Amino acid sequence: MLLIRIPVFGPTLNEIFAYQLTAGLFQLNWDNYILRTMIRMLLAYGLSVGFALVYGITAAISRRAEQVLIPILDVLQSIPVLGYLPGAIVVFLTLFNGSIIGQELASVVLIFTGMVWAVTFGVYGGVKTIPKDIVEAARSFGVRRAKYLRDVVFPALYPPFISGSILAWGGGWYFLIACEYLSFGTTRPYTLPGLGFYIFKAALDGNIAASLFGLLILIAIVALINRFVWHPLMDHADKYKYESTALPTHRKSQSQLSQWLLRKSREVSEDLAKVVEPVVSLEHKYYAHSIRFRHVNLLSHAHIGAAWHKYSRFGRIIGTAIGILLVILFFEVLVPPRFPEAIHQFMLRRELAMIPNYMLGSVARLLVGYLIALSWTLVAGIAIARSERLFNIMLPIFDIAQSVPALALFPVVVTVVIDYFHGSEFGLELASTVLVLTGMQWYLLFNIIGAVKAIPSDVIEASRCFGVRGLGFIRNIVLPAIVPAIILGSIQAWGGGWNATIASEYIVTSTKIYQVPGLGYMLDVAVAKGDTPLVLVAVGLMAGVVFLMNRTVWHYSLKRVNKYKFEG
Amino acid sequence: MAASAVLQIQEVSKIFEAGDHKVQALDSVSFDVYPHEFLCIVGPSGCGKSTLLRILDGLDYATSGRVLFKSEPITSPSPKLSMIFQTFALLPWKNVRENIELGLDAQGVGVQERRERTAKYIESVGLSGFEGAYPRELSGGMKQRVGIARALAVEPEVLLMDEPFSSLDELTADTLRREVLDIWREPTKVTDTFIMVTHNVHEAVFMADRVIILRARPGKLVADLVIDLPRPREKYAHTEGFYKYEQEIISLIEKNSGPTPT
């Protein structure tokens, strides 16, 4: 029997509110945790939008710029975003003489790096996939420059821009929480007060109930913003879409939860129902759309993967070189001027001998997490996409679950799992793998659902007509149809997984340091010691592994399964 | 005569519900289809002709009324009827031979027989030498040949075709029309009742023994016309008789269309 000993589940609500940090959650001034967290998110999102529009549109419109900009993008996005954290913090603290502004800006920049790629890909893909006849029509009627941007480019990129923004916003939550945790969890003397900080601090102080309370508030905020900002925007953006074949049809149906909510609110009063109705009436559209949008975003990623081979060798080399240079430059600022000496000292480090071990540890953890994630999401994804009923019940649940930054669950998972195994090696590994899994699974699940939904209806009809049913249907139709989506989902999942290793291989609590050997651990320790060369090596290694895997395993498989794509 | 009908369509109505509003796609459509017949269903877009074809195949169901195949109601897809799709509906990850084997594999036909039958139909649609090609490597006409072979390979009694030539260029379409007619006229064939949905009036007169004309919104049967022209009809395509049938069908459609759609 699984009897989990949760240390502090006792305290009443009163005790939660009495918890010293609660003040920061509700006080009405600039120290309010929720407010500060939100400001960080908004600033980072604003920056991302600005960057994405300029970079994405330039890359998509100018053939020459594209040759260099896209390879740069490809290198930069290969780096696990959390790898930027130490650099960003040091740079900004130095620039602002260690003031709070520098620290805040560092976190904003980090969240920005977590958001910006999805929006940029959305913008770039949106412009690149404008149907050729529309581009030609615009040219033939002399629509150029500002008018071309206004009448053709902006409307076309609106839907993928919104879908990219939704992904970015979700990713932003993850990195926001990471900033607030990591800046706290290491031995550095500064903290970044906010909702994530509260959740982590409460857990470390042994007040699991208060931590869960903070988590609940976080989930509520995430869900409310999705419902009142992103859902309506998504609905609106849908009008700007070019009709495309092979997109999932959406049926108007509401989840059981919405129907129940509406019924209950009717029972209470008609006025309440009037408020609830427009909110839930958006929902049925939203879930069908959100799946569709994810699919569109996936396609623009696929587009970039395919486009890579179109660039001239010159463009690829220059672009990659500039990308790598930018990364080195970024970290170069950290390394003292005596760079050669630093390198000399560095070569003597004994940590270097451990690198193969660390690499193996991280990769093994990721592989286990990936296999578990792939198995459950395959079964669940196909079942959900094939059944209208399951789709309506499960999608709202998964939608909220995936928007909760996985990192926010870490304190609870760590405390519960490690405690259950009495801090044994196995418990540590298990906790770490679970955390990695949470960073990977949603990419796979939503990609799979989207791909199953996108199987053209004539293909489904043909298989029914010829009696292809049950397992034969899964084996002959569904699995081959979703292979490209699984590969693209895997690329994203491994990216997410690497980020998770940084947060999950080295966890500092007030009483103890939990650690498992891996690249994430190496990076964290290097950051904690302020050992910049080692940070650079750890980040470089991670980026190298991610980049190599993308260029070899994933792009190779993508090319192989090219024949699996339906012709549009 | 009615007893010998292969298919009996009895008072079939279909209502689609989209949220609050309902669309009546078919309104009480009835007719019989006889063995050896080549039947065309024509009508403007939105007349429910494709829906009707799907109901015949058991892919969709009638809101009221029923369809009998040899006096047995059709409730789900059966190997006795098979379909050729407008957009081909080929699986991109299977080559020509594997695509054609789809229905045979599902029926559990043994490997030996599957190979033989597939080879036979590959040859009969002129795809010899392309067994290992993938759909994306084929032209539209070749893809539809695969679609035809796939449908014939399960050796159905009734072959259903949903605008099979409308995604093809006219020259290719014309060749394929003749080939389909040749297959239909083959004396030893198992499949001898052909039902084709089209909006191409010339095509219907060229191919059909009988033309069912539907009107739109709601889809209703307006005429059941026997095309009494000798076959093969290539040499009649420019005669007065052929032209009169075309004009009759066009005027029936125009007379029964509602206010011009905006």
Side-chain angles (χ1 to χ4, degrees):
Chain A
M1 198 174 80
L2 203 71
L3 236 180
I4 299 172
R5 295 188 293 116
I6 297 173
V8 199
F9 244 149
T12 59
L13 266 185
N14 277 340
E15 284 173 77
I16 295 175
F17 282 106
Y19 184 61
Q20 48 159 343
L21 284 167
T22 309
L25 277 184
F26 296 116
Q27 62 189 217
L28 296 173
N29 60 33
W30 287 105
D31 287 332
N32 183 308
Y33 285 172
I34 297 172
L35 192 69
R36 291 186 66 165
T37 291
M38 286 311 299
I39 289 175
R40 277 173 212 139
M41 284 289 280
L42 284 174
L43 282 176
Y45 178 66
L47 275 178
S48 304
V49 170
F51 177 89
L53 286 179
V54 174
Y55 200 98
I57 294 178
T58 311
I61 288 185
S62 156
R63 287 281 308 151
R64 200 171 300 165
E66 183 183 16
Q67 302 273 336
V68 178
L69 290 183
I70 293 304
I72 293 179
L73 197 65
D74 208 49
V75 173
L76 290 183
Q77 67 130 3
S78 309
I79 299 174
V81 181
L82 288 182
Y84 292 105
L85 176 69
I89 286 178
V90 175
V91 170
F92 283 95
L93 280 182
T94 318
L95 281 178
F96 291 86
N97 292 325
S99 78
I100 183 110
I101 308 247
Q103 191 186 321
E104 286 287 351
L105 279 180
S107 75
V108 168
V109 166
L110 181 80
I111 300 165
F112 161 80
T113 56
M115 286 178 163
V116 71
W117 314 128
V119 192
T120 310
F121 278 136
V123 170
Y124 171 77
V127 180
K128 278 305 259 195
T129 50
I130 298 174
K132 203 164 158 253
D133 57 350
I134 302 278
V135 176
E136 284 174 348
R139 279 180 53 200
S140 138
F141 290 111
V143 182
R144 258 180 310 214
R145 296 174 193 285
K147 284 208 173 77
Y148 184 70
L149 280 182
R150 191 195 63 195
D151 292 334
V152 178
V153 173
F154 284 129
L157 64 78
Y158 184 34
F161 170 73
I162 294 296
S163 67
S165 292
I166 291 172
L167 294 180
W169 188 260
W173 280 118
Y174 190 92
F175 294 108
L176 174 103
I177 304 290
C179 281
E180 295 184 2
Y181 279 6
L182 292 182
S183 60
F184 176 76
T186 61
T187 50
R188 264 174 281 106
Y190 43 82
T191 58
L192 209 53
L195 199 45
F197 167 78
Y198 172 83
I199 295 170
F200 202 55
K201 178 84 167 64
L204 295 190
D205 289 347
N207 196 338
I208 294 272
S211 180
L212 283 175
F213 176 71
L215 189 61
L216 220 66
I217 289 190
L218 177 69
I219 294 174
I221 292 175
V222 169
L224 284 176
I225 292 176
N226 280 354
R227 178 50 62 88
F228 289 103
V229 179
W230 297 121
H231 295 197
L233 274 175
M234 206 178 219
D235 193 40
H236 184 242
D238 205 41
K239 296 188 187 77
Y240 288 80
K241 279 187 45 154
Y242 288 110
E243 281 308 317
S244 145
T245 49
L247 282 177
T249 52
H250 94 262
R251 298 220 187 112
K252 295 198 168 188
S253 50
Q254 283 175 339
S255 69
Q256 263 70 3
L257 179 70
S258 291
Q259 287 170 6
W260 179 84
L261 259 173
L262 196 58
R263 219 173 35 240
K264 284 286 161 197
S265 52
R266 272 232 173 84
E267 280 169 21
V268 177
S269 87
E270 270 305 312
D271 287 333
L272 183 63
K274 268 185 206 143
V275 181
V276 174
E277 198 174 357
V279 179
V280 296
S281 76
L282 265 181
E283 183 206 53
H284 58 264
K285 285 188 196 156
Y286 167 71
Y287 291 113
H289 288 194
S290 87
I291 287 299
R292 223 199 294 186
F293 270 113
R294 278 177 222 271
H295 197 68
V296 171
N297 200 274
L298 180 79
L299 293 181
S300 44
H301 279 264
H303 183 84
I304 288 168
W308 179 261
H309 303 278
K310 282 195 323 223
Y311 303 131
S312 64
R313 175 164 298 182
F314 176 74
R316 276 186 278 174
I317 291 172
I318 292 288
T320 309
I322 294 179
I324 293 172
L325 244 152
L326 277 177
V327 175
I328 293 180
L329 215 74
F330 183 75
F331 288 102
E332 166 76 357
V333 186
L334 312 173
V335 184
R338 303 162 277 111
F339 193 53
E341 193 189 323
I343 286 194
H344 178 71
Q345 282 181 355
F346 173 73
M347 296 308 280
L348 302 171
R349 299 282 184 72
R350 61 179 178 79
E351 279 98 333
L352 290 185
M354 291 299 289
I355 285 175
N357 274 1
Y358 290 158
M359 218 137 147
L360 224 66
S362 289
V363 170
R365 230 161 275 133
L366 283 165
L367 200 62
V368 171
Y370 174 69
L371 291 178
I372 297 173
L374 188 62
S375 345
W376 90 257
T377 54
L378 257 183
V379 175
I382 293 174
I384 289 169
R386 296 285 306 149
S387 149
E388 190 82 6
R389 213 181 120 76
L390 268 180
F391 188 82
N392 285 336
I393 297 174
M394 297 311 291
L395 212 68
I397 297 174
F398 284 141
D399 193 65
I400 289 183
Q402 68 95 31
S403 59
V404 177
L407 277 172
L409 303 173
F410 281 26
V412 176
V413 171
V414 166
T415 321
V416 171
V417 174
I418 294 180
D419 202 60
Y420 182 69
F421 289 99
H422 308 290
S424 72
E425 192 98 336
F426 178 74
L428 289 179
E429 280 293 350
L430 187 69
S432 182
T433 308
V434 166
L435 299 182
V436 167
L437 174 75
T438 57
M440 293 180 122
Q441 59 194 359
W442 303 117
Y443 298 106
L444 289 167
L445 181 73
F446 286 101
N447 276 339
I448 290 170
I449 296 179
V452 177
K453 285 261 171 200
I455 299 176
S457 59
D458 65 344
V459 167
I460 292 179
E461 277 186 340
S463 22
R464 283 183 57 205
C465 168
F466 292 106
V468 183
R469 257 172 313 210
L471 274 180
F473 182 70
I474 301 287
R475 185 168 50 86
N476 282 311
I477 316 290
V478 175
L479 285 181
I482 65 179
V483 166
I486 292 177
I487 293 173
L488 288 164
S490 301
I491 296 176
Q492 297 170 320
W494 279 79
W498 279 108
N499 275 320
T501 60
I502 296 173
S504 71
E505 291 181 344
Y506 185 76
I507 296 152
V508 183
T509 71
S510 49
T511 51
K512 215 178 155 185
I513 293 175
Y514 298 104
Q515 60 189 55
V516 285
L519 285 182
Y521 158 76
M522 181 177 155
L523 178 67
D524 288 329
V525 171
V527 171
K529 287 187 190 154
D531 185 344
T532 353
L534 202 60
V535 171
L536 195 56
V537 169
V539 173
L541 279 175
M542 265 188 204
V545 173
V546 174
F547 190 72
L548 266 179
M549 266 184 88
N550 283 355
R551 285 273 86 86
T552 54
V553 181
W554 301 125
H555 283 192
Y556 173 74
S557 353
L558 265 184
K559 254 169 82 183
R560 285 283 310 268
V561 301
N562 215 17
K563 68 172 185 202
Y564 286 18
K565 279 196 212 116
F566 292 106
E567 291 170 272
Chain B
M1 194 71 179
S4 69
V6 188
L7 277 169
Q8 293 163 275
I9 291 94
Q10 300 178 334
E11 308 268 312
V12 166
S13 295
K14 177 75 185 175
I15 294 167
F16 288 111
E17 286 181 50
D20 300 331
H21 60 273
K22 295 176 177 178
V23 179
Q24 178 134 29
L26 291 167
D27 183 12
S28 189
V29 172
S30 302
F31 60 92
D32 290 347
V33 187
Y34 301 101
H36 318 299
E37 210 170 18
F38 199 119
L39 180 96
C40 278
I41 303 171
V42 298
S45 44
C47 72
K49 51 191 191 296
S50 287
T51 307
L52 180 60
L53 201 71
R54 277 164 177 70
I55 294 173
L56 296 188
D57 196 33
L59 287 171
D60 209 333
Y61 60 92
T63 314
S64 68
R66 57 182 189 164
V67 176
L68 302 179
F69 172 75
K70 294 191 164 170
S71 311
E72 293 291 320
I74 292 174
T75 49
S76 63
S78 128
K80 303 275 185 204
L81 300 97
S82 75
M83 176 115 98
I84 296 171
F85 293 82
Q86 180 184 2
T87 45
F88 322 128
L90 303 179
L91 303 178
W93 49 85
K94 286 183 187 279
N95 63 26
V96 167
R97 188 174 48 72
E98 291 162 344
N99 261 295
I100 295 172
E101 280 180 351
L102 184 71
L104 300 175
D105 186 29
Q107 280 177 39
V109 174
V111 180
Q112 185 62 28
E113 199 194 334
R114 211 193 298 167
R115 286 287 141 90
E116 280 168 15
R117 265 214 251 172
T118 311
K120 176 177 152 199
Y121 286 101
I122 283 177
E123 208 199 313
S124 79
V125 297
L127 280 170
S128 301
F130 290 93
E131 290 85 350
Y134 284 92
R136 77 197 125 89
E137 299 159 357
L138 302 175
S139 66
M142 299 289 264
K143 282 182 200 161
Q144 195 56 298
R145 281 169 201 270
V146 181
I148 294 169
R150 177 175 67 178
L152 290 174
V154 296
E155 307 198 326
E157 292 182 41
V158 179
L159 184 68
L160 306 168
M161 295 175 273
D162 184 16
E163 303 194 23
F165 311 118
S166 68
S167 317
L168 306 174
D169 67 86
E170 188 48 36
L171 290 174
T172 312
D174 204 48
T175 315
L176 276 182
R177 275 180 208 126
R178 289 168 209 223
E179 290 186 17
V180 166
L181 285 172
D182 287 344
I183 292 167
W184 170 66
R185 277 205 309 251
E186 237 172 72
T188 56
K189 66 198 180 304
V190 198
T191 315
D192 67 356
T193 308
F194 284 35
I195 302 177
M196 182 170 89
V197 158
T198 179
H199 54 232
N200 182 333
V201 174
H202 179 85
E203 179 176 279
V205 177
F206 182 71
M207 298 183 84
D209 292 327
R210 236 174 95 207
V211 176
I212 299 283
I213 298 151
L214 297 181
R215 55 159 294 170
R217 284 173 286 269
K220 227 172 155 65
L221 191 143
V222 293
D224 182 340
L225 192 71
V226 174
I227 307 293
D228 191 12
L229 286 173
R231 290 176 190 273
R233 290 180 179 158
E234 279 87 340
K235 50 186 168 202
Y236 299 97
H238 301 289
T239 61
E240 187 78 8
F242 196 102
Y243 185 66
K244 261 171 70 185
Y245 278 119
E246 281 186 3
Q247 282 310 305
E248 188 175 353
I249 293 171
I250 289 169
S251 68
L252 276 167
I253 293 172
E254 279 177 354
K255 206 164 64 194
N256 285 288
S257 63
T260 326
T262 48

